Amino acid sequence: MYSEKKKMNTYAKVSLKMLISAGTGGVAGLLGAWFFFGHDVKEAMTNVTEILQMMILPALLVLMAVSVFLGERSIRNIRKIHEKMKTAQDEEYDLLDYEEERTGGKGMIANVFSQALCFIILSFGYSMEYIASSDHNRSTFLYACIVWMVCFGYDCFWQIRYVKLLQKAHPEIKADPSSRKFQQQWLESCDEAEREIIYQSSYKTYMLLNKSIPVLLLLTMLTHMFLETGVLAVIVVAAIWLMETICYTRSCVFMRKSRIN
């Protein structure tokens, strides 16, 4: 009786949350419709896009300079940590190991952030309408593509340098950065404690994505409705959500099957 009542309460709570969400969405939709149709937002967005298109080349140059500065500083700091590790005792070594992880993590975040910004900045001019509009735009976009390739190439090679630097300090790590199975090779080289950290971090990442992707999907739907950003953005986010769910579920099923066998 108690379990049945509890089950009904669960359905009631979910239904209440759905009603609240629907009501909130309805109010947000009305406010959004009033704002977008009551103001010339599309014209304002067009003006902003034109300004950003003028800034593509200098923005990529600044991004490349910042990326190189942060990347080289991170490599230099890790080398200093590795030098201290050679003569460190147990407690000091553990602290340096943490500093190595923290410094490398900051460098990796800055590196991936730079790669993502490369795509975002270049995308403002990645349109035939913009490229074909004038000779100046064509030449500017060509130079921007060259800077993009240099910046993106540096970020890719920085990751290889980072892995090689870790392998030099920790020879037990056996993984080829150019291999398609690099992550698998890296995991196999880790001990049980490191694997546990990777597993827990991966699960936290999965939980974060599982909560944030539906929100991003809703945002892409709203921007498509009001700003006509295109249905492809909605399809891409939905595909990522589906692939993430299929990969996680498939992995759980196969691991359960391997236990039986």
Side-chain angles (χ1 to χ4, degrees):
M1 186 70 179
Y2 174 75
S3 60
E4 188 68 24
K5 183 179 180 181
K6 187 177 180 180
K7 186 177 180 180
M8 293 301 296
N9 288 339
T10 302
Y11 289 132
K13 288 179 182 179
V14 173
S15 299
L16 181 60
K17 289 180 180 180
M18 291 176 65
L19 289 174
I20 293 174
S21 299
T24 304
V27 173
L30 290 174
L31 292 175
W34 171 81
F35 179 77
F36 281 97
F37 294 115
H39 304 78
D40 203 349
V41 178
K42 288 185 180 180
E43 183 178 351
M45 291 297 296
T46 301
N47 294 334
V48 171
T49 302
E50 291 176 355
I51 294 173
L52 291 173
Q53 287 173 342
M54 295 171 57
M55 299 297 294
I56 289 176
L57 183 56
L60 283 172
L61 288 171
V62 171
L63 176 63
M64 182 175 66
V66 173
S67 180
V68 171
F69 171 76
L70 294 178
E72 294 308 307
R73 188 180 69 171
S74 178
I75 292 292
R76 184 175 65 252
N77 291 338
I78 294 173
R79 283 175 177 163
K80 291 180 180 179
I81 293 172
H82 288 168
E83 286 298 321
K84 295 179 181 179
M85 280 181 167
K86 293 178 180 179
T87 57
Q89 300 300 321
D90 293 341
E91 292 185 2
E92 184 183 2
Y93 187 90
D94 291 338
L95 182 60
L96 290 172
D97 188 51
Y98 162 74
E99 288 296 328
E100 178 195 44
E101 185 76 22
R102 187 170 68 92
T103 304
K106 287 182 178 179
M108 184 61 70
I109 290 173
N111 183 270
V112 176
F113 190 72
S114 172
Q115 290 180 320
L117 277 181
C118 278
F119 280 103
I120 293 173
I121 294 173
L122 191 67
S123 295
F124 283 106
Y126 207 74
S127 112
M128 291 305 300
E129 181 180 357
Y130 167 75
I131 297 173
S133 59
S134 67
D135 292 337
H136 173 73
N137 289 347
R138 278 193 291 273
S139 59
T140 300
F141 186 73
L142 176 62
Y143 296 142
C145 287
I146 295 173
V147 176
W148 176 85
M149 287 188 291
V150 174
C151 183
F152 199 82
Y154 170 80
D155 290 335
C156 291
F157 284 115
W158 181 91
Q159 293 185 17
I160 297 175
R161 291 170 61 199
Y162 174 53
V163 171
K164 294 292 186 181
L165 194 60
L166 293 180
Q167 289 176 332
K168 185 177 180 180
H170 308 281
E172 70 275 6
I173 299 177
K174 306 295 183 183
D176 181 7
S178 63
S179 174
R180 291 187 297 107
K181 297 182 178 181
F182 167 73
Q183 288 81 5
Q184 181 181 346
Q185 294 171 357
W186 184 281
L187 187 62
E188 291 174 352
S189 300
C190 295
D191 56 28
E192 290 299 324
E194 292 172 334
R195 290 184 185 183
E196 184 65 24
I197 293 174
I198 294 173
Y199 294 151
Q200 292 187 17
S201 300
S202 299
Y203 182 72
K204 288 182 179 180
T205 304
Y206 165 75
M207 294 303 297
L208 176 62
L209 290 175
N210 208 33
K211 293 177 181 178
S212 59
I213 289 179
V215 177
L216 294 175
L217 186 60
L218 178 62
L219 290 177
T220 53
M221 289 177 63
L222 291 175
T223 53
H224 174 55
M225 175 184 292
F226 295 117
L227 300 177
E228 298 180 1
T229 53
V231 71
L232 182 59
V234 182
I235 295 174
V236 169
V237 177
I240 293 173
W241 191 11
L242 182 61
M243 285 189 294
E244 176 219 21
T245 304
I246 291 175
C247 181
Y248 178 79
T249 306
R250 182 171 175 268
S251 177
C252 289
V253 172
F254 281 1
M255 291 183 69
R256 184 74 65 179
K257 183 179 180 181
S258 64
R259 285 187 178 184
I260 296 174
N261 293 337

